[in-house]
């Protein structure tokens, strides 16, 4: 059992009669800019609370869960992530520190960089990276946590089309090997159909679901 939204509305931005997002699968959310995609994503770990209705995670209302513990299990990467002062390794390790996890070995850190196709050294300074490189570092930072569920808000928007496909494909493979839940807002419907198990379309604040997504 993953996420369930039941009778949810929020400030006229979005209205959801019922939406079920399966556990251990890949769900992609698409829609025009301003349609409510990010609001929908933020509801899943209670960063936004609905005015009406309820959001459930594994059968429990997220409003009643400890927010720190919820967000350690359901980790969100915002659309415009930041990098922290220090090295690439520092940026990856700080995520595990915040999550109360033990330090990871350099081999694991280097491996997660390969997953996001970021050809950088652990000692490099990320403040000198391009926008796309910073975006991939931030993506690596949430993947190294291996949470139960990942919420990604357009994690490849700064990448060219070829690199985007490679990075998203690698992330999806990473998630599926570990049977994690991935909910991801993407700007390209074609990209979503390529990788998703469940396709959610947000249009004028309304949500439509298509389980015909091919996935991989």
């Amino acid at each position: 059992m993953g996420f369930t939204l039941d009778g949810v509305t929020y400030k006229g931005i979005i209205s959801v009669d019922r939406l079920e997002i399966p556990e251990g699968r890949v769900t992609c959310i698409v829609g025009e800019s301003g349609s409510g995609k990010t609001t929908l994503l933020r509801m899943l770990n209670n960063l936004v609370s609905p005015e009406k209705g309820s959001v459930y995670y594994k059968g429990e209302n997220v409003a009643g869960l400890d927010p720190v513990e919820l967000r350690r299990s359901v980790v969100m990467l915002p659309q415009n992530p930041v990098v922290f002062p220090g090295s690439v390794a520092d940026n990856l390790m700080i995520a595990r520190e915040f999550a109360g996890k033990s330090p990871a070995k350099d081999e694991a850190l280097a491996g997660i960089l390969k997953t996001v196709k970021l050809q950088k050294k652990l000692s490099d300074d990320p403040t000198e990276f391009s926008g796309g490189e910073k975006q991939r570092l931030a993506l690596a930072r949430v993947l190294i946590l291996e949470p139960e569920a990942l919420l990604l808000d357009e994690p490849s928007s700064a990448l060219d089309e070829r690199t985007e496909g490679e990075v998203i494909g690698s992330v999806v493979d990473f998630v599926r090997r570990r049977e994690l839940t991935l909910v991801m807002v993407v700007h390209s419907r074609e990209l979503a159909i390529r990788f998703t198990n469940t396709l959610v379309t947000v249009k004028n604040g309304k949500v439509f679901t298509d389980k015909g997504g091919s996935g991989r």
Side-chain angles (χ1 to χ4, degrees):
M1 184 182 298
F3 299 95
T4 301
L5 289 81
D6 190 11
V8 165
T9 62
Y10 181 76
K11 294 185 177 180
I13 297 174
I14 196 162
S15 175
V16 184
D17 290 334
R18 187 172 180 85
L19 174 63
E20 295 185 1
I21 296 175
E23 182 179 7
R25 308 287 278 177
V26 177
T27 298
C28 287
I29 303 172
V30 297
E32 295 179 355
S33 178
S35 61
K37 303 185 299 297
T38 297
T39 299
L40 174 60
L41 200 67
R42 288 167 62 87
M43 286 183 182
L44 300 182
N45 69 348
N46 204 27
L47 285 171
V48 169
S49 300
E51 296 175 313
K52 293 182 180 179
S54 300
V55 179
Y56 300 91
Y57 177 57
K58 292 188 173 182
E60 295 188 71
N61 193 322
V62 299
L65 298 177
D66 179 271
V68 173
E69 292 303 317
L70 172 64
R71 290 163 196 161
R72 284 178 173 176
S73 298
V74 183
V75 174
M76 181 170 176
L77 178 66
Q79 190 171 356
N80 298 305
V82 299
V83 296
F84 298 102
S87 67
V88 167
D90 292 334
N91 268 262
L92 297 176
M93 294 294 282
I94 197 171
R96 294 186 65 86
E97 182 181 342
F98 286 162
K101 292 180 177 285
S102 61
K105 295 182 179 180
D106 285 354
E107 292 83 356
L109 301 182
I112 211 70
L113 294 182
K114 290 182 180 179
T115 297
V116 299
K117 311 298 183 183
L118 184 58
Q119 297 179 352
K120 296 292 183 179
K121 297 177 182 178
L122 293 176
S123 59
D124 285 345
D125 180 1
T127 61
E128 300 177 356
F129 289 3
S130 68
E133 289 169 341
K134 290 178 179 178
Q135 192 172 51
R136 277 177 280 173
L137 177 59
L139 180 56
R141 198 165 57 216
V142 296
L143 292 182
I144 196 68
L145 299 175
E146 293 193 27
E148 295 175 356
L150 283 160
L151 311 178
L152 307 181
D153 193 358
E154 297 202 19
S156 57
S157 59
L159 305 180
D160 62 76
E161 186 175 345
R162 180 185 64 82
T163 306
E164 179 181 41
E166 291 177 354
V167 171
I168 294 301
S170 183
V171 169
V172 167
D173 288 343
F174 176 92
V175 165
R176 286 183 170 149
R177 285 196 304 270
R178 291 158 178 78
E179 298 183 339
L180 308 178
T181 301
L182 172 59
V183 188
M184 176 170 55
V185 172
V186 295
H187 63 275
S188 167
R189 190 178 186 87
E190 293 179 357
L191 187 72
I193 292 172
R194 180 178 169 189
F195 293 112
T196 195
N197 299 114
T198 302
L199 181 64
V200 176
T201 301
V202 184
K203 185 175 182 179
N204 298 324
K206 297 291 185 180
V207 173
F208 307 91
T209 306
D210 177 11
K211 293 186 179 179
S214 59
R216 285 205 334 170

